[in-house]
Amino acid sequence: MIRRAEKSDCLNLAALSLQVWLNTYATEGIRKKISEYALSTFTESHFLKLLDQASCNILVYEEEAHLVGFVLVDVESRFNESSSAGYEVVTLYVSTHFQGQGIGKKLLKKIESLYGSPFWLSTWINNHGAIAFYKKLGFQIIGELNFDLEGELHSNHVLSYTGT
């Protein structure tokens, strides 16, 4: 089931984010910068603040009352100040145990039905599974951004989806 996130979901959103983020980005193990970023960013209060932002919307995907995925959209965010790429999908996370079941695709289709297209997102250049997933859905690489992890820059592809 897909529904809008509620305040009561924020603790689970934080836990799921930690699970997915560490699994995706801590591929060489855990170190201080990774731990500090993850534990200070993915908190219940972080998601409570996002729910209070008018430009943001979080949709959750549940199976049998368990949160297994979510998508966070910022309808005011633009890539390089360009409106031609549309709004931003800030985060699309699906629990590792549920990947490959069409959940990410369903979440993206839901936001497209709510907000239209085009929209854009960014993903780490070494996240080959995610890049293949997005390309399979029709996304195109349109640029690059850097993710700053306490002074370490990590390259991300910017991908755009223009619609079905």
Side-chain angles (χ1 to χ4, degrees):
M1 170 174 83
I2 298 174
R3 62 171 175 78
R4 290 186 189 272
E6 301 169 355
K7 290 183 179 196
S8 61
D9 294 312
C10 289
L11 185 62
N12 290 337
L13 288 165
L16 179 63
S17 296
L18 280 169
Q19 178 196 56
V20 173
W21 197 88
L22 290 171
N23 186 61
T24 303
Y25 300 108
T27 58
E28 296 176 356
I30 302 293
R31 58 192 171 90
K32 185 177 181 182
K33 285 184 180 184
I34 289 171
S35 296
E36 287 175 345
Y37 175 80
L39 293 173
S40 66
T41 301
F42 302 119
T43 64
E44 183 178 16
S45 64
H46 169 75
F47 286 99
L48 286 167
K49 288 176 189 170
L50 288 171
L51 286 180
D52 285 338
Q53 292 181 17
S55 66
C56 290
N57 188 18
I58 303 172
L59 300 176
V60 297
Y61 191 101
E62 287 184 321
E63 283 196 3
E64 299 179 21
H66 291 87
L67 179 68
V68 298
F70 75 92
V71 62
L72 164 62
V73 175
D74 184 341
V75 295
E76 293 180 3
S77 178
R78 298 292 181 257
F79 174 60
N80 286 341
E81 305 300 319
S82 168
S83 61
S84 65
Y87 58 92
E88 181 181 8
V89 172
V90 179
T91 307
L92 174 63
Y93 282 170
V94 175
S95 172
T96 306
H97 306 293
F98 291 85
Q99 291 178 359
Q101 298 180 24
I103 294 169
K105 182 179 180 178
K106 289 175 186 173
L107 285 165
L108 290 172
K109 288 295 180 191
K110 184 65 175 180
I111 62 130
E112 184 181 17
S113 74
L114 291 172
Y115 302 107
S117 56
F119 54 87
W120 66 278
L121 53 81
S122 65
T123 189
W124 182 38
I125 63 169
N126 291 322
N127 191 349
H128 303 293
I131 294 166
F133 166 74
Y134 293 126
K135 285 185 171 183
K136 182 179 175 183
L137 294 179
F139 283 76
Q140 301 291 318
I141 295 174
I142 61 167
E144 286 200 9
L145 290 174
N146 285 314
F147 173 74
D148 186 346
L149 180 65
E150 297 185 22
E152 294 176 8
L153 297 181
H154 298 269
S155 294
N156 284 259
H157 287 307
V158 175
L159 297 104
S160 176
Y161 180 78
T162 56
T164 51

